[in-house]
Amino acid sequence: MTRLLVLSRSAVGPRMASPGVRAYQLAGALGRALPAAEITLGIPGDREPIAPPAPNVRMQAWSSNAEAAFLAATHDVTIARNFPPQLARVLGKTRFALDAFTPFYVEWMELSRRDILPKWRRTWMASNRSYINFQLTLADFIFCADERQRDMWIGMMMALALVPPDVYERDPSLRRVIDVVPYGVPSRPLSPGRRVLRGVVPGIEEGDRVLLWNGGITEWNDVETLLHAMARLVRTRPEVKLVFMGVSHPDMVFGPTSGVNKLAYELSEELGLKDRNVFILNGWVPYEEIDNYLAEADASVCLGYENIESRFAFRTRYVDLFRARVPLLCTQGDVLANRVHDAPMGLTVPERDIDAVVDGITRLLDDRDFVATCKANMATMATELSWDTVVQPLVDFCVSGESYAMPAGRRRLQSYARGGMYVAFKRLCLSPPIYDH
């Protein structure tokens, strides 16, 4: 019997962000694809209970890196978004599948501007660079969210000498070393159970038009442009209400007093929008409640920047919008924004363009024919992104019993060295947190 471990480093439970949701849904999709397999979903610490995602998935809490290493050693395949350095000692005893669905390095670069004192930023980022190098070295198989990300990761692997001639000869396409498993959506249709916005949140009435910001506010989001656009729009459209769905990240990545969240609070108040036309919900929307919010949205919006982060981003917050058929306004530049524009499934705008944002929101609220086209195209996209469909490359790796990566014996010393460099740099970085998360 194949034994698989999906090791989540993020919160899995009633409240979870995209990494926890992905671990939960991947475990479920693997369980459905491999009903004879024994699958463990490893959850960090004691969390509020949540039903297993499939009958053959058992939930097990883990509380230390040593415990994670023990769990990995008792499974044939260990799947995780990132592996603790302690797992290097079980290289060769389990096959490692690295879930590289986010451009870690660029995200950490953005977060370091917020959290790390300038004099410690280079040291902190050096530790993270070593950490990524360790992840790529440990992995027998890597799966990412799209082809653009795949090109990025292949380039990094080549720079680390992880694609020597013998690996290339075994698989010149490298598909059995690194492939694409997008962030998916459940196959079930949207199933709202109750009202959560209109007539419930003070200030949002029955006849209002709701714009939904689906997810948290991160350092790579441009809320400033959106709030200035809202200030202009509501002069003639006071019925338009913008809702931010949560500001207290389950993994403590950000909170109400940090970075862009703080800016959103302060600017919305300064512009006279807060709790009148802009609503920033406290806490974090429970996973089982998300359908209720999506069902009340007339349109959705998410703005960012045309930079290196967007070049390699796969906006996980978009995929539930596809499933819910909620037309989207977003900044151009990332892979899914291209799909939104081309299909179309909404509208894309240049970065920091207030006029384009105002015009785009107006069209999504008023152009019924265009919106109908967007919704039909979103239905097609949601089918393409079903978890049970996108998981197939990972299923193939799990059942193959093979690794096409560089042999474990040749990776072992490199993994110890790169893991050790990560630990050393992390200990050198003495910067205290700038913000209270």
Side-chain angles (χ1 to χ4, degrees):
M1 177 184 292
T2 303
R3 302 192 69 201
L4 311 178
L5 171 65
V6 179
L7 185 70
S8 178
R9 306 294 304 280
S10 301
V12 174
R15 288 173 173 80
M16 48 187 171
S18 57
V21 171
R22 183 161 164 95
Y24 181 81
Q25 292 290 358
L26 283 176
L30 287 168
R32 292 186 293 274
L34 302 170
E38 183 180 299
I39 300 171
T40 302
L41 175 55
I43 301 170
D46 293 325
R47 303 286 180 179
E48 295 178 76
I50 186 171
N56 56 334
V57 176
R58 72 182 180 98
M59 318 280 276
Q60 181 164 336
W62 62 279
S63 57
S64 69
N65 290 338
E67 196 172 345
F70 175 80
L71 274 174
T74 60
H75 290 79
D76 302 304
V77 178
T78 299
I79 302 157
R81 182 171 177 248
N82 42 64
F83 300 104
Q86 288 82 350
L87 266 68
R89 67 173 185 259
V90 296
L91 178 61
K93 297 179 182 178
T94 182
R95 289 184 298 142
F96 289 107
L98 174 65
D99 186 359
F101 80 101
T102 54
F104 303 113
Y105 190 81
V106 184
E107 288 192 359
W108 290 333
M109 188 77 80
E110 291 284 344
L111 291 173
S112 73
R113 292 198 299 184
R114 181 195 72 188
D115 287 346
I116 306 299
L117 293 173
K119 69 177 181 177
W120 291 109
R121 262 187 95 197
R122 285 185 63 186
T123 306
W124 194 78
M125 287 308 303
S127 74
N128 288 322
R129 186 171 60 251
S130 298
Y131 190 66
I132 292 171
N133 294 346
F134 168 75
Q135 304 299 317
L136 296 172
T137 304
L138 202 66
D140 294 279
F141 179 68
I142 300 165
F143 56 103
C144 55
D146 57 62
E147 293 293 340
R148 193 182 289 182
Q149 285 186 0
R150 184 172 182 266
D151 290 343
M152 178 192 72
W153 292 120
I154 289 174
M156 294 175 71
M157 293 169 67
M158 288 181 169
L160 292 171
L162 294 173
V163 188
D166 56 326
V167 170
Y168 179 80
E169 290 301 322
R170 291 185 70 197
D171 179 18
S173 72
L174 293 185
R175 285 287 168 189
R176 285 177 283 191
V177 178
I178 176 168
D179 210 340
V180 173
V181 177
Y183 194 96
V185 294
S187 300
R188 62 176 175 79
L190 200 70
S191 54
R194 65 184 183 93
R195 285 289 187 95
V196 290
L197 296 174
R198 291 184 179 90
V200 177
V201 175
I204 305 180
E205 308 301 334
E206 287 296 331
D208 288 342
R209 309 299 299 281
V210 173
L211 292 176
L212 192 66
W213 180 284
N214 182 36
I217 310 171
T218 64
E219 304 309 302
W220 41 93
N221 292 138
D222 179 13
V223 292
E224 188 171 1
T225 296
L226 177 57
L227 291 174
H228 281 292
M230 283 293 298
R232 187 177 302 177
L233 181 67
V234 300
R235 293 171 193 165
T236 56
R237 303 289 296 265
E239 80 281 6
V240 177
K241 306 296 172 71
L242 170 64
V243 177
F244 291 92
M245 283 178 62
V247 291
S248 295
H249 198 282
D251 299 320
M252 306 297 288
V253 175
F254 54 79
T257 62
S258 65
V260 184
N261 275 321
K262 185 179 180 183
L263 170 66
Y265 275 109
E266 292 176 348
L267 184 57
S268 62
E269 191 156 10
E270 178 186 324
L271 294 171
L273 299 171
K274 189 171 182 294
D275 298 330
R276 294 178 60 190
N277 293 91
V278 173
F279 301 83
I280 303 173
L281 303 185
N282 293 322
W284 195 260
V285 171
Y287 187 59
E288 64 181 15
E289 292 272 357
I290 290 175
D291 281 11
N292 296 330
Y293 289 83
L294 294 170
E296 290 195 53
D298 294 289
S300 55
V301 60
C302 180
L303 301 184
Y305 306 98
E306 297 178 55
N307 57 16
I308 195 69
E309 187 278 331
S310 67
R311 173 69 186 170
F312 295 109
F314 188 94
R315 303 288 184 212
T316 58
R317 66 184 68 215
Y318 294 178
V319 296
D320 272 334
L321 301 170
F322 301 151
R323 171 173 163 264
R325 325 296 196 250
V326 180
L328 170 65
L329 177 77
C330 60
T331 309
Q332 61 195 25
D334 64 84
V335 164
L336 287 183
N338 292 345
R339 296 289 298 271
V340 167
H341 176 271
D342 293 344
M345 294 180 284
L347 297 167
T348 61
V349 295
E351 65 174 355
R352 299 182 173 92
D353 190 330
I354 296 172
D355 290 337
V357 174
V358 172
D359 292 343
I361 292 172
T362 300
R363 187 178 182 191
L364 290 182
L365 294 178
D366 295 344
D367 190 338
R368 294 184 179 181
D369 290 341
F370 179 71
V371 167
T373 299
C374 291
K375 289 185 175 184
N377 292 332
M378 286 178 146
T380 302
M381 185 69 165
T383 300
E384 177 186 326
L385 290 178
S386 164
W387 284 112
D388 292 332
T389 299
V390 301
V391 78
Q392 193 57 49
L394 180 58
V395 172
D396 293 342
F397 168 74
C398 291
V399 301
S400 71
E402 295 183 280
S403 171
Y404 281 78
M406 193 163 69
R410 286 158 53 191
R411 283 183 285 139
R412 186 167 289 110
L413 183 59
Q414 293 181 43
S415 69
Y416 278 118
R418 288 164 180 162
M421 287 178 66
Y422 158 68
V423 172
F425 277 123
K426 208 68 173 177
R427 288 178 176 172
L428 280 174
C429 184
L430 303 178
S431 175
I434 297 175
Y435 292 100
D436 177 13
H437 294 226

